[in-house]
Amino acid sequence: MAASVAAAARRLRRAIRRSPAWRGPSHRPLSSEPPAAKASAVRAAFLNFFRDRHGHRLVPSASVRPRGDPSLLFVNAGMNQFKPIFLGTVDPRSEMAGFRRVANSQKCVRAGGRHNDLEDVGRDLSHHTFFEMLGNWAFGGEYFKEEACSMAWELLTQVYGIPAERLWVSYFDGDPKAGLEPDLETRDIWLSLGVPATRVLSFGPQENFWEMGDTGPCGPCTEIHYDLAGGVGAPQLVELWNLVFMQHNREADGSLQPLPQWHVDTGMGLERLVAVLQGKHSTYDTDLFSPLLHAIQQGCRAPPYLGRVGVADEGRTDTAYRVVADHIRTLSVCISDGVFPGMSGPPLVLRRILRRAVRFSMEILKAPPGFLGSLVPVVVEILGDAYPELQRNSAQIANLVLEDEAAFLASLERGRRIIDRTLRTLGPSDMFPAEVAWSLSLSGDLGLPLDMVELMLEEKGVQLDCTGLERLAQEEAQHQARQAEPVQKQGLWLDVHALGELQRQGVPPTDNSPKYNYSLRPNGSYEFGTCEAQVLQLYTEDGTAVASVGKGQRCGLLLDRTNFYAEQGGQASDRGYLVRVGQEDVLFPVARAQVCGGFILHEAVAPECLQIGDQVQLHVDKAWRLGCMAKHTATHLLNWALRQTLGPGTEQQGSHLNPEQLRLDVTTQTALTPEQLRAVENTVQEAVQQDKPVYMEEVPLALTAHVPGLRSLDEIYPDPVRVVSVGVPVAHALDPASQAALQTSVELCCGTHLLRTGAIGDLVIIGDRQLSKGTTRLLAITGEQAQQARELGQNLAQEVKAATEQLSQGSQDVAEALRLSKDIGRLIEAVDTSVMPQWQRRELLATLKMLQRRANTAIRKLQMGQAAKKTQELLERHSKGPLIVDTVSAESLSVLVKVVRQLCEQAPSTSVLLLSPQSMGKVLCACQVAQGAMPTFTAEAWALAVCSHMGGKAWGSRVVAQGTGSTTDLEAALSTARAYALSQL
């Protein structure tokens, strides 16, 4: 028996992989069962099975935008939202902390990053950028291998009716290098469930050991595979379900340590399951895609979809069908979750997906303009019941797709013109310049995929400078690395083992309620209470738990209570100091506080010995805390003011604040106008001037579920949750009948806030930029900084007004006009870089750019007049002949060139070279050669001969050239010019 199993394993090693491609079209049914229910019923059956039969809690799909996880571009697995549980960092007061057994259908995107299926989509019958992951989880040992395997087998064979003889399973065969034994327990479970030994295969860590990342929870997994062949010939296996048993943790040094708590994490792709149950050989043939494929065929009048791949897919028609169908699903889901096409990170990936879809639809399917957006309602019809956010945002999705499609088509047309213009300047054997291709690309200005640029050039028989392109890509990567926001230095942290040990010892979470212990004195100042606490645990810099720390040692302190605010919710951590009770003259500086699974870890430097059991007194930095409080309350008011000005569809996407400034990211349909920015500021100012009270209260999370206008983020909130309401008591604000949350700022928030809005003083928005289409980032300051910004804005406005008046008076002198133009240029730079109201900056810059154009026009007119005058003087000085070589006074090289051109216009058969002495011995040179003197006599060579004589340089064409040099002997330079010209004429 062992030999036959081993032989089977050898035969099937290549068949069992993470994402095997489906075979080509076949009409052989996959199952003898009647046709299965629709995909929606398959999804519902999964969820109902775990809820009704096995007591699982159903949780909604998380957004595809990762929640506080910078390691991911998109949510790419069902387990992503449960990472805090696996890592032990979940807030013990949150709803998630109570999860024991849960199930859901999770929206997943695999495009960009470590898991990237983008370029494979369309080439085969199985890859997708968006898919749904059905999963069930058991946390903290709620159940483990036996129950997980039994439930999976029961669902597949009894509920879905998949014949048991079509199912194969694999288990972990061990890893001697890592000291891991084979998972014989799982093998025996499958055998006990009736799976024949010939269909129970063992594999090594590559196939059957799952890891979250380079570090973190991991463990052996067992996979259930389906045999497409159905016993006819060699098995054709595709993975259906992966059951992961998290029981280890991969440490930073690569070693494995047992987890304090074990978990079950399973995942099964809905698309593949539906294909099996509906008897289809391709996920694209299921009812998750067939309505889309039909809509594509109707909208493009293309040949019907036949499911062909590779060389059989002539003209790549079926490839295009699959690309468009997959990509419009991804676009719809991402946009509904607040990820919009843009220029970096996930938005850039989405932009590439959209433009790839447009390319395939237009180039291959010959779709009409605007076609892609017409598919959005079909996606909503297919997925909207499972994911209501698609229904709520369907209009916005369609509009964004239409707008970006139109922008891409405009860019494509412009790109073609640029390519044609560039080709006219190239020689027969020249390669197409990398710089131009880069400016056309997604990484450049127009946003055309590079492979499309290469294809357009290939059609014209021109080769691209790929070496130069690689160099530009490297330079761009280096530039992006320099421009990236500095990564905050990782402070001390409690890992999963430290947290598990604290929980094993029964250490309760840190009581941080004293952080709200502050009051407002009658004189308007704030009084912050101190907090006495006991040292429960000390940690060294590497996270080792110790009983004491010595002088000068950087350490982490875990106390039973604290009044320090630990960084979360976008608010910076408090800082301050602590002292030992009875020894108040020795200060232990606290640089920051972090929350780790409900425990607050204080990062400090010990000036003297500190040990477990010491009683300490904590003091927050009052100025720092007050600055954070003002910025946080101002952030709430700014969020509310944006909604009042732009409409209720404006949603916060994220924020960060410290005592210096605040940052707020919000969804917007378009960039804010100066008028809107000013209106938002005015709305905030009004609330500040009214000095409204700020009410804060903890309430049961359930009370906040259906309050119109209540602002919350896609975060895990504790229960009870803290509500912050400006101007209206919390109880009144949460009364749905009051509609109060629509009239003022009411948010779920754990941050520290002012008790009255007046202490904000003032708020000025000092910057705004679009992070992506549909998302705007605002920067703002408050208090005295804001007032200084307003004063600076007013001063600059006065300077702009003075420049406007001066320009309106006109000028008769080129030098004066040039000075004014330079002054306007300096004003543009000052306005562009100063800390001032953004609405005013935008208005002043628009005015200054208009003034700059007027000034340049005035300069050109004066220069033309000056040139005409000097031209007449020179014509009077020189008799008619083939050559004019002379000196003339000119304010600039452009004036000198104008004089030369006017001379040649009035004396077409004359070649002209003029020198203009400047200060410090510098000499300007300009020349033009008569048409009849070429090709033996060229302006570029003439200017080069003269400027080289003066130790300078020259540039230009055969007809007109210019240059500069330095000399005190102008006659010698003129002689050189005459001699060279006479030798060529």
Side-chain angles (χ1 to χ4, degrees):
M1 180 63 72
S4 64
V5 173
R10 285 194 297 273
R11 290 196 307 272
L12 296 172
R13 279 190 187 279
R14 292 184 181 179
I16 299 181
R17 287 295 180 265
R18 290 288 170 195
S19 298
W22 291 86
R23 301 278 183 170
S26 171
H27 300 289
R28 183 172 63 251
L30 300 186
S31 172
S32 59
E33 296 296 315
K38 294 182 177 181
S40 57
V42 174
R43 186 193 300 112
F46 179 92
L47 299 174
N48 293 341
F49 171 80
F50 281 102
R51 181 190 61 195
D52 300 339
R53 291 200 191 183
H54 296 286
H56 287 62
R57 177 176 187 163
L58 300 187
V59 298
S61 169
S63 164
V64 296
R65 199 160 47 103
R67 180 190 291 143
D69 189 346
S71 68
L72 295 174
L73 286 171
F74 299 97
V75 164
N76 58 20
M79 52 74 59
N80 289 160
Q81 69 168 309
F82 304 117
K83 272 188 178 183
I85 298 178
F86 300 137
L87 296 170
T89 60
V90 64
D91 186 336
R93 299 181 304 150
S94 69
E95 185 181 33
M96 184 181 285
F99 289 174
R100 290 297 174 264
R101 49 176 74 194
V102 300
N104 84 342
S105 177
Q106 172 63 48
K107 299 173 293 185
C108 298
V109 173
R110 289 189 177 172
R114 183 179 178 184
H115 299 285
N116 184 9
D117 291 342
L118 178 56
E119 294 305 321
D120 292 322
V121 169
R123 295 177 181 174
D124 59 27
L125 302 174
S126 62
H127 277 92
H128 305 292
T129 51
F130 164 75
F131 64 97
E132 297 178 68
M133 183 74 84
L134 303 172
N136 62 289
W137 290 267
F139 302 117
E142 174 71 11
Y143 60 78
F144 209 49
K145 296 178 181 179
E146 183 174 2
E147 296 90 337
C149 294
S150 299
M151 291 175 193
W153 193 254
E154 179 187 2
L155 176 64
L156 294 177
T157 60
Q158 296 182 26
V159 176
Y160 289 137
I162 297 176
E165 62 270 16
R166 302 285 290 264
L167 298 176
W168 295 60
V169 297
S170 63
Y171 68 94
F172 181 50
D173 194 27
D175 184 2
K177 292 181 180 178
L180 296 174
E181 296 292 326
D183 187 8
L184 301 181
E185 180 187 359
T186 298
R187 180 202 64 183
D188 294 342
I189 291 169
W190 288 122
L191 294 174
S192 71
L193 289 170
V195 185
T198 52
R199 297 207 304 273
V200 181
L201 309 178
S202 62
F203 293 94
Q206 183 175 352
E207 293 86 2
N208 279 98
F209 193 87
W210 189 92
E211 305 205 39
M212 182 187 295
D214 295 333
T215 61
C218 54
C221 62
T222 182
E223 297 175 343
I224 305 174
H225 299 261
Y226 181 81
D227 181 9
L228 296 173
V232 180
Q236 299 175 26
L237 303 184
V238 291
E239 177 192 331
L240 270 188
W241 206 340
N242 188 11
L243 284 61
V244 180
F245 308 120
M246 292 197 184
Q247 55 192 92
H248 305 284
N249 191 72
R250 179 72 70 180
E251 305 297 320
D253 62 3
S255 64
L256 291 171
Q257 297 294 330
L259 279 173
Q261 292 186 320
W262 291 1
H263 314 285
V264 171
D265 164 26
T266 85
M268 175 165 55
L270 174 67
E271 291 77 6
R272 187 170 292 178
L273 173 63
V274 170
V276 166
L277 295 177
Q278 293 184 357
K280 307 296 184 182
H281 271 271
S282 166
T283 53
Y284 289 95
D285 292 333
T286 68
D287 65 333
L288 287 167
F289 286 90
S290 53
L292 273 170
L293 298 175
H294 177 71
I296 293 169
Q297 197 271 330
Q298 292 293 309
C300 299
R301 301 298 176 190
Y305 176 72
L306 298 176
R308 298 164 300 180
V309 295
V311 293
D313 184 18
E314 295 181 12
R316 299 200 298 166
T317 301
D318 290 346
T319 297
Y321 266 105
R322 290 188 290 270
V323 167
V324 174
D326 171 87
H327 288 6
I328 192 60
R329 281 168 35 108
T330 305
L331 288 163
S332 299
V333 168
C334 287
I335 292 172
S336 73
D337 278 347
V339 183
F340 308 115
M343 291 302 293
S344 63
L348 178 59
V349 175
L350 205 61
R351 188 181 190 220
R352 286 176 172 152
I353 290 172
L354 192 150
R355 299 195 165 196
R356 190 170 187 258
V358 174
R359 281 178 54 209
F360 274 89
S361 66
M362 294 202 61
E363 292 180 4
I364 297 175
L365 300 174
K366 309 303 179 186
F371 164 71
L372 208 58
S374 71
L375 297 177
V376 172
V378 186
V379 177
V380 174
E381 179 67 25
I382 297 169
L383 299 175
D385 289 340
Y387 308 110
E389 57 273 15
L390 283 165
Q391 296 173 337
R392 290 195 301 268
N393 299 304
S394 59
Q396 182 191 24
I397 298 166
N399 289 337
L400 278 171
V401 170
L402 286 169
E403 288 174 14
D404 210 280
E405 179 183 354
F408 178 48
L409 295 178
S411 295
L412 189 60
E413 184 58 35
R414 187 177 166 206
R416 288 196 179 101
R417 292 198 300 269
I418 291 172
I419 287 174
D420 290 341
R421 187 168 65 244
T422 305
L423 291 177
R424 288 196 291 270
T425 68
L426 300 180
S429 59
D430 289 347
M431 288 194 295
F432 194 83
E435 290 77 12
V436 179
W438 184 263
S439 72
L440 297 173
S441 74
L442 274 167
S443 301
D445 300 324
L446 288 190
L448 304 181
L450 271 174
D451 59 347
M452 173 179 270
V453 176
E454 290 185 72
L455 186 63
M456 293 163 73
L457 293 175
E458 186 180 312
E459 291 170 352
K460 296 178 180 292
V462 179
Q463 187 178 357
L464 176 61
D465 178 9
C466 295
T467 304
L469 205 60
E470 289 177 9
R471 172 180 53 79
L472 290 172
Q474 291 175 353
E475 291 175 359
E476 174 66 14
Q478 293 168 356
H479 173 73
Q480 292 293 339
R482 289 192 299 269
Q483 294 297 313
E485 293 185 11
V487 178
Q488 190 173 17
K489 183 180 178 182
Q490 176 66 53
L492 295 170
W493 188 253
L494 299 182
D495 64 18
V496 65
H497 301 298
L499 291 168
E501 180 61 21
L502 290 170
Q503 291 159 4
R504 188 189 65 79
Q505 295 175 7
V507 177
T510 309
D511 174 13
N512 64 347
S513 59
K515 68 187 178 188
Y516 300 123
N517 183 21
Y518 53 90
S519 59
L520 190 59
R521 295 191 182 104
N523 63 4
S525 64
Y526 279 81
E527 181 176 5
F528 296 93
T530 59
C531 173
E532 289 198 5
Q534 182 180 24
V535 179
L536 299 182
Q537 187 62 66
L538 293 162
Y539 296 90
T540 60
E541 286 191 72
D542 63 3
T544 302
V546 293
S548 64
V549 292
K551 182 177 181 180
Q553 193 170 353
R554 181 169 169 259
C555 61
L557 290 85
L558 189 62
L559 311 172
D560 61 343
R561 59 201 309 264
T562 183
N563 58 350
F564 275 65
Y565 184 85
E567 181 161 358
Q568 57 185 319
Q571 180 176 328
S573 160
D574 275 338
R575 61 187 190 187
Y577 66 92
L578 60 85
V579 297
R580 276 194 301 242
V581 174
Q583 195 177 358
E584 283 75 12
D585 56 337
V586 180
L587 306 184
F588 291 74
V590 177
R592 63 192 298 197
Q594 297 186 84
V595 60
C596 311
F599 299 98
I600 308 296
L601 190 66
H602 304 73
E603 189 175 310
V605 176
E608 288 188 359
C609 178
L610 192 66
Q611 57 190 11
I612 292 176
D614 282 352
Q615 295 290 323
V616 296
Q617 190 176 74
L618 296 99
H619 300 261
V620 298
D621 182 325
K622 296 178 182 179
W624 179 275
R625 164 68 82 83
L626 191 56
C628 288
M629 288 163 54
K631 296 297 186 297
H632 207 150
T633 304
T635 301
H636 282 215
L637 289 177
L638 179 58
N639 190 13
W640 167 70
L642 284 161
R643 281 189 155 202
Q644 294 295 108
T645 304
L646 304 179
T650 307
E651 296 287 348
Q652 180 177 335
Q653 294 286 298
S655 67
H656 188 268
L657 63 98
N658 59 33
E660 297 300 316
Q661 69 175 24
L662 66 89
R663 183 191 77 207
L664 181 65
D665 299 341
V666 292
T667 57
T668 53
Q669 292 297 319
T670 58
L672 275 72
T673 65
E675 293 76 20
Q676 288 172 327
L677 288 168
R678 191 172 190 177
V680 169
E681 274 188 18
N682 290 340
T683 301
V684 174
Q685 277 185 298
E686 185 177 345
V688 171
Q689 290 166 0
Q690 291 174 355
D691 194 25
K692 293 184 176 182
V694 179
Y695 298 94
M696 290 163 275
E697 186 179 330
E698 283 195 348
V699 301
L701 186 61
L703 287 182
T704 69
H706 304 292
V707 179
L710 178 70
R711 262 76 77 198
S712 62
L713 296 175
D714 180 28
E715 292 182 357
I716 301 297
Y717 287 100
D719 191 7
V721 66
R722 194 169 176 85
V723 178
V724 179
S725 174
V726 176
V728 177
V730 171
H732 182 60
L734 295 184
D735 182 357
S738 75
Q739 302 287 299
L742 294 170
Q743 310 300 323
T744 187
S745 170
V746 183
E747 296 195 27
L748 306 183
C749 181
C750 66
T752 57
H753 286 268
L754 297 172
L755 301 178
R756 300 194 73 88
T757 60
I760 294 172
D762 194 1
L763 179 137
V764 167
I765 299 169
I766 60 170
D768 78 314
R769 67 184 178 94
Q770 282 204 285
L771 297 180
S772 62
K773 191 170 185 62
T775 304
T776 297
R777 170 165 291 179
L778 301 176
L779 298 178
I781 53 178
T782 63
E784 188 176 341
Q785 286 178 303
Q787 292 168 2
Q788 291 172 351
R790 289 195 191 282
E791 290 172 6
L792 179 56
Q794 288 302 314
N795 292 338
L796 288 170
Q798 289 299 318
E799 292 188 45
V800 172
K801 182 180 179 182
T804 304
E805 292 172 353
Q806 189 175 352
L807 186 63
S808 299
Q809 293 171 2
S811 175
Q812 302 303 315
D813 180 61
V814 173
E816 183 183 342
L818 285 170
R819 281 194 297 274
L820 179 56
S821 178
K822 288 181 180 178
D823 288 342
I824 292 172
R826 284 192 289 269
L827 261 179
I828 288 175
E829 183 179 2
V831 170
D832 195 37
T833 58
S834 293
V835 178
M836 62 181 294
Q838 183 69 358
W839 66 265
Q840 192 174 34
R841 185 197 320 279
R842 300 248 296 267
E843 288 184 351
L844 293 182
L845 284 175
T847 300
L848 285 167
K849 288 173 182 176
M850 179 269 294
L851 293 179
Q852 188 84 78
R853 289 193 296 271
R854 285 176 54 193
N856 291 340
T857 301
I859 289 169
R860 283 194 297 272
K861 287 182 179 178
L862 288 170
Q863 287 178 339
M864 291 296 289
Q866 189 182 69
K869 181 179 179 183
K870 294 183 184 300
T871 299
Q872 286 305 118
E873 292 173 358
L874 287 166
L875 285 173
E876 291 170 4
R877 192 185 309 165
H878 294 271
S879 58
K880 297 275 185 182
L883 198 66
I884 296 178
V885 176
D886 207 339
T887 62
V888 65
S889 63
E891 300 288 347
S892 64
L893 197 54
S894 64
V895 172
L896 191 63
V897 171
K898 287 182 175 67
V899 175
V900 168
R901 282 180 169 165
Q902 289 190 20
L903 276 170
C904 291
E905 285 173 3
Q906 296 191 39
S909 60
T910 303
S911 297
V912 179
L913 184 144
L914 299 178
L915 299 180
S916 178
Q918 307 290 303
S919 60
M920 307 295 291
K922 184 179 179 181
V923 179
L924 306 179
C925 170
C927 63
Q928 182 169 332
V929 172
Q931 193 71 30
M934 294 184 289
T936 55
F937 185 23
T938 68
E940 187 176 19
W942 194 11
L944 184 62
V946 176
C947 291
S948 297
H949 171 80
M950 297 188 295
K953 57 183 180 179
W955 59 93
S957 66
R958 292 181 301 167
V959 180
V960 180
Q962 55 194 291
T964 60
S966 296
T967 184
T968 55
D969 190 352
L970 279 176
E971 282 303 320
L974 292 171
S975 297
T976 300
R978 291 189 191 96
Y980 181 86
L982 292 172
S983 71
Q984 301 294 313
L985 286 171

